[in-house]
């Protein structure tokens, strides 16, 4: 709060005090009071007013300056009432109490929605685990009764399983901290596991796989990174041309390891490439392929972010797409030292 603003706010007060002082001086003059005594009385009144206003300004300046400094430095602005002190002047106390009351009301609402969200998340997780049992039974029945029809059914069941896994990660995406373990793992092992999981789909689509320079140790959660690679493989198959080539390679630098997953698919347009990690974004390719949900890459980006990895995409229409996943090495050094 600047002093000029404070004085402007007191404009009506100054006018009233000035009129009272003039009126008071006239009355004293009418009673033939000595002019010097009148001047002394008026001076005392003015000095008293200046002292009172200075005291008031200092109290308010401290309070509002504290608010201004705190709100600028806080990442979570709604915590303001928790860090400022209740002031000693009545206007500030009313404002402080209203802010506290408002925050309490907001916290009650947040708690209510968190409980509902937690209940929904638990239901989704339970449902996912329960639905996997009939899916596993269906696979077993198909394995014992292989024919063209059941193999087609198996392909559809694999897709359902992929969507269920995606739903499970989506339900956890905002609360993943308690569900991952970062540890050293071999990049080639992760890639092989992801390929193995999608082997049937890759074989059915005659995908040519190549791997180069993958025998490198990185830090990641194996379950999560396998899911990320699975989503990238599924996208390559979904947006393929006639003969899909899928190339996995890695480069090791002083401070990082970069995994490249390159395909020769239909590619992504320049206007869509910057939005592929947005939730629900499907773009031109999504409109051409109706099964797109716009969730897969969104989850990949979220999971990589949680693991401290960086994921980005380069693509050219009708040439192909390359997904880069960067594993920082500095975390590996810290891990080894700890």
């Amino acid at each position: 709060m600047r002093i000029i603003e404070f004085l402007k706010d007191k404009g009506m007060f100054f006018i009233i005090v000035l009129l009272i002082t003039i009126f008071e001086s006239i009355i004293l003059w009418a009673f033939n009071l000595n002019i010097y005594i009148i001047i002394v009385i008026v001076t005392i009144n003015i000095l008293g007013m200046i002292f009172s206003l200075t005291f008031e300004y200092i109290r308010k300046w401290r309070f509002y300056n504290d608010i201004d400094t705190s709100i600028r430095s806080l990442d979570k602005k709604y915590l303001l009432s928790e860090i400022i002190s209740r002031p000693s002047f009545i206007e500030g106390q009313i404002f402080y109490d209203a802010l506290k009351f408002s925050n309490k009301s907001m916290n009650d609402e947040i708690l209510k929605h968190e409980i509902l969200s937690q209940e929904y998340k638990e239901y989704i997780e339970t449902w996912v685990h329960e639905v996997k049992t009939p899916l596993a039974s269906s696979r077993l029945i198909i394995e014992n009764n292989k024919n063209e029809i059941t193999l087609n059914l198996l392909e559809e069941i694999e897709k359902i399983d992929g969507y269920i896994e995606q739903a499970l990660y989506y339900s956890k995406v905002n609360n993943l901290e308690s569900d991952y373990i970062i540890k050293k793992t071999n990049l080639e092992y992760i890639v092989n596991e992801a390929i193995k999981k999608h082997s049937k789909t890759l074989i059915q689509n005659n995908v040519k796989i190549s791997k180069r320079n993958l025998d490198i140790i990185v830090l990641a959660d194996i379950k999560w990174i396998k899911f990320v690679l699975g989503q990238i493989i599924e996208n390559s198959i979904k947006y393929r041309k006639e003969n899909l080539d899928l190339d996995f390679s890695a480069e090791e630098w002083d401070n990082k390891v970069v995994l490249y997953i390159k395909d020769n698919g239909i590619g992504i347009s320049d206007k869509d490439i910057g939005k592929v990690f947005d939730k629900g974004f499907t773009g031109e390719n999504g409109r051409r392929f109706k099964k797109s949900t716009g969730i897969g890459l969104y989850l990949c980006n979220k999971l990589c972010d949680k693991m401290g990895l960086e994921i980005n995409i380069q693509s050219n229409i009708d040439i192909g797409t390359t997904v880069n996943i960067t594993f920082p090495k500095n975390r590996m050094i810290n891990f080894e030292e700890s």
Side-chain angles (χ1 to χ4, degrees):
M1 184 174 65
R2 292 184 301 175
I3 191 165
I4 191 70
E5 294 170 336
F6 175 76
L7 293 175
K8 280 182 179 178
D9 188 60
K10 293 293 177 183
M12 183 57 67
F13 171 77
F14 288 130
I15 292 172
I16 292 172
V17 169
L18 178 64
L19 292 175
I20 289 175
T21 303
I22 293 172
F23 182 69
E24 184 182 44
S25 301
I26 292 171
I27 291 176
L28 294 174
W29 178 264
F31 280 95
N32 294 321
L33 202 66
N34 188 287
I35 185 65
Y36 296 108
I37 295 176
I38 294 174
I39 292 173
V40 169
I41 292 173
V42 169
T43 301
I44 290 173
N45 286 343
I46 291 174
L47 288 175
M49 181 188 69
I50 291 173
F51 176 78
S52 174
L53 288 175
T54 302
F55 181 68
E56 181 183 348
Y57 173 74
I58 291 172
R59 286 197 302 170
K60 289 185 175 179
W61 179 84
R62 284 177 178 166
F63 177 66
Y64 292 118
N65 187 58
D66 185 28
I67 289 178
D68 186 56
T69 305
S70 300
I71 200 75
R72 290 173 189 276
S73 61
L74 273 176
D75 288 333
K76 297 177 180 178
K77 311 297 183 190
Y78 55 85
L79 293 176
L80 177 66
S81 65
E82 303 299 325
I83 63 170
I84 61 173
S85 303
R86 196 170 190 262
S88 57
F89 57 96
I90 187 64
E91 294 170 7
Q93 289 172 353
I94 293 171
F95 170 75
Y96 178 88
D97 292 342
L99 189 63
K100 276 278 189 186
F101 185 75
S102 173
N103 268 20
K104 183 180 182 308
S105 175
M106 183 190 71
N107 289 335
D108 290 344
E109 285 295 314
I110 290 173
L111 180 62
K112 187 167 68 177
H113 286 285
E114 281 181 347
I115 291 171
L116 291 174
S117 175
Q118 181 63 24
E119 289 176 350
Y120 182 71
K121 187 171 89 62
E122 289 172 359
Y123 166 73
I124 292 292
E125 290 176 12
T126 304
W127 180 86
V128 165
H129 290 300
E130 287 182 351
V131 83
K132 279 185 175 295
T133 303
L135 283 178
S137 300
S138 300
R139 282 197 191 93
L140 187 61
I141 293 170
I142 290 171
E143 286 294 327
N144 293 326
N145 298 276
K146 284 184 179 177
N147 57 52
E148 187 178 348
I149 295 174
T150 55
L151 289 176
N152 288 335
L153 279 175
L154 182 60
E155 185 180 353
E156 296 304 315
I157 286 173
E158 294 298 338
K159 290 179 184 175
I160 292 171
D161 194 35
Y163 288 129
I164 288 171
E165 188 177 33
Q166 196 179 78
L168 180 62
Y169 275 96
Y170 185 80
S171 71
K172 294 179 175 179
V173 73
N174 291 320
N175 189 29
L176 287 165
E177 286 76 4
S178 59
D179 191 39
Y180 76 104
I181 302 172
I182 300 291
K183 60 181 182 182
K184 286 198 278 188
T185 184
N186 186 280
L187 201 52
E188 189 162 21
Y189 168 76
I190 301 169
V191 171
N192 286 340
E193 286 294 302
I195 293 172
K196 183 180 173 183
K197 184 171 183 181
H198 296 80
S199 58
K200 289 180 182 175
T201 311
L202 290 166
I203 293 169
Q204 286 167 358
N205 289 279
N206 297 316
V207 180
K208 181 183 175 184
I209 303 286
S210 55
K211 297 179 289 182
R212 292 175 288 119
N213 192 35
L214 294 175
D215 188 17
I216 303 172
I217 298 297
V218 295
L219 276 177
D221 179 282
I222 296 175
K223 185 174 66 173
W224 288 15
I225 196 66
K226 279 167 55 181
F227 174 81
V228 170
L229 294 181
Q231 294 298 303
I232 296 168
I233 291 172
E234 286 181 11
N235 275 358
S236 295
I237 295 172
K238 191 183 297 179
Y239 303 120
R240 69 185 184 279
K241 291 189 291 189
E242 286 188 1
N243 299 310
L244 175 60
D245 294 334
L246 202 51
D247 179 71
F248 296 85
S249 64
E251 278 187 301
E252 190 170 10
W253 305 76
D254 289 340
N255 59 349
K256 63 184 178 183
V257 175
V258 182
L259 171 65
Y260 304 95
I261 306 111
K262 183 179 180 182
D263 68 37
N264 60 340
I266 62 173
I268 305 168
S269 68
D270 289 342
K271 69 176 183 179
D272 286 350
I273 193 72
K275 303 175 186 174
V276 292
F277 294 120
D278 292 353
K279 185 168 68 175
F281 180 77
T282 56
E284 289 182 4
N285 292 343
R287 286 187 283 277
R288 291 169 60 188
F289 298 84
K290 302 297 184 184
K291 295 174 182 176
S292 300
T293 61
I295 297 298
L297 287 179
Y298 165 75
L299 287 174
C300 290
N301 190 40
K302 281 278 187 182
L303 294 174
C304 284
D305 185 54
K306 294 284 184 184
M307 288 186 284
L309 312 183
E310 184 183 335
I311 181 170
N312 56 67
I313 294 179
Q314 289 90 43
S315 187
N316 293 297
I317 289 290
D318 293 330
I319 294 176
T321 300
T322 301
V323 180
N324 305 336
I325 301 176
T326 302
F327 300 80
K329 269 189 173 179
N330 57 336
R331 292 193 315 147
M332 189 181 295
I333 294 169
N334 293 336
F335 177 83
E336 288 171 342
E337 288 178 345
S338 62

